[in-house]
């Protein structure tokens, strides 16, 4: 088993190194052959590992490979924790990565950085596997930072493009804010539990954990476990792009489309969701933290959905959709429905990767035009892309019998069943969010694939379906987007699949009332036609149809009527303005003043240069008495002797 696990992790790394260092020698064809073969084998082994837990043949495995440092009682180790939760993430990450690798052959075929791109995406896959397979916080943090680094390289892949450089720097800096909180949370874990290994931490909680009180003042104390949970969740907010640390994700669309699917559908942005689910025993000890998670997730789900309605860039519509759906997952975490969050993570990975790659297929056909207002009626020219994008869109809005329906419905019900203080707010936010998800999804779908053709004649004359290397991954992703939930919904919701990998306190169990319904997926799909979320989705699709197909002039009229609201939305709630014009500019201004006043003025001006000037001034005056004449020196000696005798006489009188 150890050899299999090492192969899963190290094959993508080996391919990334060979292609990255020897790409110019092995050529373009061998670059994609090696990386696809490596990720393909990793994917096959990961799916086989996951099937072992589906069937029930496999037991959780906590394996320490080696200890690379020991500091007192702290062991710094490299190891794997393989259970149903890890196996699910391994299968999802490697499958989506494999589809992206294949898709990249067609999308990047004319790019001069072809080999470099394949090296980066294989390295990214390695980093994600290290993260999800870790059995300790240190290795988790290594994978956490590694995916951040590679995402920086991928977002800024076109490094001669100023907007791409700005986007990757923005992603890097925003994630540093989240990672600072993450480090504090990890430090808190060591302070409270005395170890960084998962198993001893979870065992201490299981045996009866006594919270540590952190003194803030003589009369004020903070819960140590709440401090840890909030710190860890701040890290998740950065990686999973939750308000207010969400601003990096829309700008990251400046990178090539394949990395939009790889980073933003199933891998890096879901790392925070996975981490909180993995740490469920810790989070279950703090209702304060769970309420914070509910509020942040609900706010992201609803308000990022609003922004999706006003976007005109096809990739940014899907990006804001990702933000909103991540909010749904975080709501499930806050409601203690960790298995539901992972359920939606898995289904979302397939249909969101499908939508990103579908957007890329459209961009290829449109000669890299991304404005949906300059498209129209593409279903005539791209039937495969049209059909697969329709499946992805229906899954996204939670259409009954599609995979997204089961996981999204479970989140809404979990929020409704929760007894936490913030649960009502979360429930109404995710319920209203259903309408806006349908609205922005089908506004984009209708503008791209229906309505009149708005492209120029030159573009129209070259329109055709993307090559097979592009549409085959779309078809392979469309299949699980449609039907994966038919098989996985029941075991996930019953708790049979995740078992001890996820821990939920008895008073937080919101899934129990839903278990029986999810044993009959077909009946649950039929029942959906009589529920509020279904009709909210229908109303959203109808609204999109009216404003884009039937009466497009109404859209402009409504924008003018809602001038202030439209301005706020098109400026993304002014988060960027506040961060760039005030916080960043204020930090730079404050730093400049400190440099001028303290570094240049006090240290250089007074202490360093000032002391030198003082010595020089005194030396200049002393130099004047060095005349070279003997009688001058005798005079100085006589004056000095008289002064000394006067001082002795004065001391004698005083005594």
């Amino acid at each position: 088993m150890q050899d299999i696990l090492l192969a899963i992790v190290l094959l993508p790394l080996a391919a990334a190194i060979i292609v990255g260092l020897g790409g110019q020698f092995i050529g373009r064809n061998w670059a994609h052959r090696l990386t696809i073969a490596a990720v393909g084998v990793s994917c096959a082994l990961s799916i086989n590992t996951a099937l072992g837990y589906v069937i029930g043949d496999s037991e959780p495995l906590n394996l320490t490979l080696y200890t690379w440092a020991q500091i007192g009682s702290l062991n710094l180790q490299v190891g794997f924790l393989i259970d149903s939760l890890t196996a699910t993430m391994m299968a999802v990450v490697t499958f989506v990565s494999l589809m992206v690798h294949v898709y990249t052959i067609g999308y990047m075929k004319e790019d001069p950085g072809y080999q470099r791109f394949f090296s980066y995406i294989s390295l990214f896959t390695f980093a994600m596997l290290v993260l999800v397979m870790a059995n300790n916080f240190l290795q988790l943090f290594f994978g956490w930072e590694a995916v951040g680094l590679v995402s920086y390289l991928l977002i800024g892949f076109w490094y001669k493009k100023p907007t791409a450089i700005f986007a990757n720097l923005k992603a890097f800096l925003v994630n540093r804010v989240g990672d600072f909180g993450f480090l504090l949370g990890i430090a808190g874990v060591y302070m409270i539990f005395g170890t960084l290994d998962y198993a001893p931490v979870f065992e201490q909680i299981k045996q009866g954990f006594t919270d540590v009180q952190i003194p803030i003042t003589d009369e004020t104390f903070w819960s140590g476990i709440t401090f840890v949970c909030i710190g860890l969740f701040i890290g998740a907010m950065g990686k999973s792009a939750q308000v207010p640390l969400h601003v990096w994700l829309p700008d990251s669309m400046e990178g090539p489309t394949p990395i939009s699917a790889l980073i933003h559908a199933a891998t890096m942005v879901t790392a925070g969701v996975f981490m909180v689910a993995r740490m469920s025993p810790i989070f279950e000890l703090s209702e304060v933290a769970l309420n914070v998670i509910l509020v942040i997730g609900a706010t992201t789900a609803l308000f990022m959905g609003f922004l999706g309605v006003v976007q005109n860039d096809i990739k940014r519509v899907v990006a804001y959709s990702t933000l909103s759906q991540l909010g749904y997952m975080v709501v499930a975490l806050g409601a203690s429905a960790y298995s539901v969050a992972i359920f939606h993570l898995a289904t979302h990975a397939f249909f969101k990767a499908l939508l990103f790659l579908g957007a890329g297929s459209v961009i290829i056909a449109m000669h890299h035009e991304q404005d949906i207002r300059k498209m129209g009626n593409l279903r005539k020219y791209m039937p495969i892309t049209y059909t697969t994008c329709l499946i992805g869109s229906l899954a996204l809005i939670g259409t009954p019998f599609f995979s997204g329906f089961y996981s999204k419905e479970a989140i809404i019900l979990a929020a409704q069943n929760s007894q936490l203080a913030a649960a009502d707010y979360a429930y109404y936010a995710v319920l209203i969010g259903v309408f806006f998800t349908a609205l922005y999804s089908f506004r984009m779908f209708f503008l791209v694939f229906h309505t009149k053709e708005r492209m120029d004649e030159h573009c129209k004359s070259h329109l055709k379906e993307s090559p097979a290397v592009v549409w085959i991954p779309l078809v392979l992703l469309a299949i699980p987007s449609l039907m994966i939930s038919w098989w996985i919904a029941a075991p996930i919701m019953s708790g049979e699949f995740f078992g001890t990998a996820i821990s939920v306190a008895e008073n937080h169990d919101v899934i129990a009332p839903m278990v029986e319904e999810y044993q009959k997926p077909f009946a649950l799909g039929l029942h959906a036609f009589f529920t509020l979320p279904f009709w909210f989705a229908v109303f959203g699709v109808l609204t999109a149809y009216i404003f884009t197909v039937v009466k497009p002039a109404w859209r402009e009229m409504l924008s003018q009527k809602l001038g202030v609201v439209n301005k706020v939305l098109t400026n993304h709630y002014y988060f960027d303005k506040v961060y760039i014009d005030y916080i960043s500019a204020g930090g730079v201004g404050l730093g400049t003043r400190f440099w001028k006043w303290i570094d240049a003025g006090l240290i250089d001006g007074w202490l360093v240069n000032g002391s030198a000037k003082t010595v020089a001034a005194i030396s200049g005056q002393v130099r004047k008495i060095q005349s070279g004449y003997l009688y001058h020196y005798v005079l100085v000696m006589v004056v000095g002797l008289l002064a000394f005798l006067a001082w002795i006489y004065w001391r004698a009188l005083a005594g």
Side-chain angles (χ1 to χ4, degrees):
M1 186 62 179
Q2 178 176 324
D3 292 340
I4 293 175
L5 296 175
L6 284 172
I8 291 172
V9 176
L10 296 181
L11 281 173
L13 175 63
I17 293 173
I18 293 171
V19 174
L21 298 180
Q24 60 180 333
F25 304 107
I26 64 176
R28 296 165 71 92
N29 288 337
W30 276 105
H32 68 244
R33 288 172 186 169
L34 283 174
T35 51
I36 289 174
V39 174
V41 173
S42 181
C43 178
L45 295 175
S46 296
I47 292 175
N48 183 64
T49 302
L51 287 175
Y53 290 96
V54 172
I55 298 169
D57 293 342
S58 300
E59 294 292 331
L61 173 66
N62 190 0
L63 176 67
T64 298
L65 297 177
Y66 66 91
T67 301
W68 62 273
Q70 186 171 5
I71 306 170
S73 61
L74 177 62
N75 291 323
L76 306 180
Q77 300 174 331
V78 175
F80 298 140
L81 174 59
I82 309 299
D83 54 19
S84 52
L85 176 58
T86 303
T88 301
M89 290 297 296
M90 289 164 58
V92 169
V93 167
T94 53
F95 179 76
V96 173
S97 178
L98 178 60
M99 295 299 100
V100 170
H101 275 71
V102 174
Y103 178 92
T104 299
I105 297 173
Y107 192 88
M108 301 290 287
K109 65 179 181 180
E110 297 178 359
D111 197 286
Y114 190 83
Q115 293 98 313
R116 179 166 58 93
F117 189 83
F118 273 99
S119 175
Y120 284 174
I121 57 178
S122 288
L123 186 61
F124 185 90
T125 306
F126 158 75
M128 270 303 298
L129 289 170
V130 169
L131 188 157
V132 300
M133 295 170 69
N135 70 347
N136 62 83
F137 283 94
L138 187 67
Q139 187 176 328
L140 172 70
F141 187 72
F142 171 80
W144 195 270
E145 292 302 299
V147 294
L149 170 63
V150 184
S151 69
Y152 170 83
L153 297 173
L154 285 167
I155 294 168
F157 180 78
W158 290 318
Y159 55 86
K160 294 183 180 180
K161 186 179 178 183
T163 52
I165 298 303
F166 175 79
N168 75 348
L169 183 61
K170 186 176 183 180
F172 191 78
L173 292 176
V174 172
N175 274 277
R176 295 293 68 74
V177 176
D179 292 352
F180 179 70
F182 192 52
L183 268 178
L184 290 178
I186 293 175
V189 168
Y190 181 68
M191 178 190 74
I192 294 173
F193 297 100
T195 180
L196 292 179
D197 293 343
Y198 296 165
V201 171
F202 298 158
E203 185 61 29
Q204 288 184 47
I205 294 172
K206 185 178 179 181
Q207 295 298 327
F209 168 75
T210 302
D211 196 4
V212 174
Q213 298 298 309
I214 302 175
I216 304 302
T217 66
D218 291 338
E219 298 180 354
T220 304
F221 295 85
W222 281 0
S223 163
I225 204 68
T226 297
F227 173 83
V228 167
C229 291
I230 296 296
L232 294 176
F233 181 65
I234 290 173
M237 288 169 62
K239 275 290 181 289
S240 295
Q242 297 296 288
V243 172
L245 301 181
H246 66 285
V247 293
W248 66 270
L249 192 143
D251 285 353
S252 65
M253 296 298 105
E254 294 294 336
T257 297
I259 67 104
S260 298
L262 185 63
I263 293 178
H264 307 133
T267 50
M268 191 181 97
V269 293
T270 58
V273 176
F274 163 77
M275 183 273 294
V276 175
R278 169 60 72 199
M279 302 306 150
S280 59
I282 301 176
F283 281 88
E284 282 300 284
L285 298 175
S286 175
E287 288 199 355
V288 173
L290 292 176
N291 275 292
V292 170
I293 294 171
L294 270 176
V295 170
I296 295 295
T299 302
T300 304
L302 181 60
F303 287 88
M304 294 303 105
F306 293 161
L307 294 184
V309 178
V310 298
Q311 301 304 309
N312 295 311
D313 184 308
I314 188 170
K315 286 172 65 177
R316 284 181 179 264
V317 175
V318 186
Y320 279 105
S321 169
T322 300
L323 282 171
S324 181
Q325 295 306 304
L326 287 167
Y328 274 84
M329 298 176 208
V330 172
V331 166
L333 296 173
S336 294
Y338 305 99
S339 58
V340 171
I342 300 300
F343 183 19
H344 194 55
L345 182 156
T347 60
H348 174 266
F350 297 119
F351 62 70
K352 189 52 62 69
L354 170 59
L355 288 172
F356 268 121
L357 297 185
S361 179
V362 169
I363 292 169
I364 293 172
M366 292 292 299
H367 299 282
H368 295 278
E369 175 61 63
Q370 296 183 198
D371 192 333
I372 59 177
R373 295 170 297 183
K374 298 178 181 179
M375 302 177 188
N377 198 34
L378 290 187
R379 75 184 189 280
K380 172 182 175 183
Y381 307 95
M382 309 178 71
I384 299 175
T385 300
Y386 169 76
T387 304
T388 53
C389 284
L390 177 60
I391 292 173
S393 298
L394 290 172
L396 172 61
I397 69 172
T399 306
F401 305 110
F402 285 73
S403 293
F405 158 72
Y406 296 96
S407 54
K408 182 177 281 189
E409 183 79 5
I411 293 173
I412 296 171
L413 291 174
Q416 186 178 28
N417 293 339
S418 176
Q419 300 300 313
L420 294 175
D424 286 344
Y425 168 68
Y427 169 68
Y428 289 112
V430 294
L431 182 61
I432 296 170
V434 171
F435 167 78
F436 286 97
T437 301
L439 177 58
Y440 64 67
S441 298
F442 275 85
R443 169 182 176 264
M444 178 184 74
F445 184 80
F446 290 139
L447 285 174
V448 172
F449 294 106
H450 294 266
T451 66
K452 64 180 181 180
E453 298 174 3
R454 296 177 297 279
M455 66 288 289
D456 57 47
E457 290 300 323
H458 174 73
C459 181
K460 190 185 299 184
S461 65
H462 292 84
L463 274 176
K464 62 180 180 179
E465 183 60 81
S466 298
V469 75
V470 171
W471 64 254
I472 287 175
L474 298 183
V475 173
L476 293 177
L477 286 166
I479 294 170
S481 297
L482 174 61
M483 60 181 66
I484 190 75
S485 289
W486 300 354
W487 297 288
I488 68 173
I492 286 179
M493 295 300 293
S494 65
E496 295 174 5
F497 181 66
F498 288 123
T500 58
I502 287 174
S503 177
V504 179
E506 188 176 344
N507 61 323
H508 291 162
D509 188 359
V510 296
I511 299 178
M514 306 182 240
V515 170
E516 185 175 349
E517 296 177 12
Y518 274 81
Q519 304 307 307
K520 305 170 184 176
F522 185 74
L524 182 61
L526 289 176
H527 175 70
F529 293 102
F530 304 97
T531 62
L532 275 177
F534 171 76
W535 290 107
F536 271 56
V538 169
F539 187 43
V541 173
L542 288 176
T543 304
Y545 182 75
I546 291 169
F547 279 87
T548 57
V549 180
V550 181
K551 294 288 185 181
W554 288 6
R555 186 171 66 251
E556 294 299 325
M557 181 182 69
L558 186 62
S559 296
Q560 294 175 3
K561 294 278 187 182
L562 301 175
V564 175
V565 174
N566 187 60
K567 186 176 181 180
V568 170
L569 293 178
T570 52
N571 284 281
H572 314 126
Y573 305 118
Y574 296 97
F575 273 106
D576 285 334
K577 184 174 182 63
V578 170
Y579 287 159
I580 296 172
D581 294 350
Y582 296 102
I583 296 178
S584 296
V588 171
L590 185 62
T592 302
R593 286 177 173 81
F594 275 127
W595 166 71
K596 286 183 177 179
W597 297 342
I598 298 177
D599 193 20
L602 177 61
I603 297 175
D604 288 343
W606 284 67
L607 299 181
V608 178
N609 296 333
S611 59
K613 289 178 181 178
T614 301
V615 171
I618 295 173
S619 300
Q621 296 302 317
V622 171
R623 191 182 301 116
K624 293 178 180 179
I625 66 175
Q626 301 295 319
S627 62
Y629 295 110
L630 182 61
Y631 58 85
H632 284 170
Y633 298 150
V634 172
L635 176 62
V636 171
M637 291 174 62
V638 171
V639 171
L641 180 60
L642 290 175
F644 178 66
L645 292 174
W647 179 77
I648 293 176
Y649 177 73
W650 177 78
R651 291 285 294 174
L653 290 177

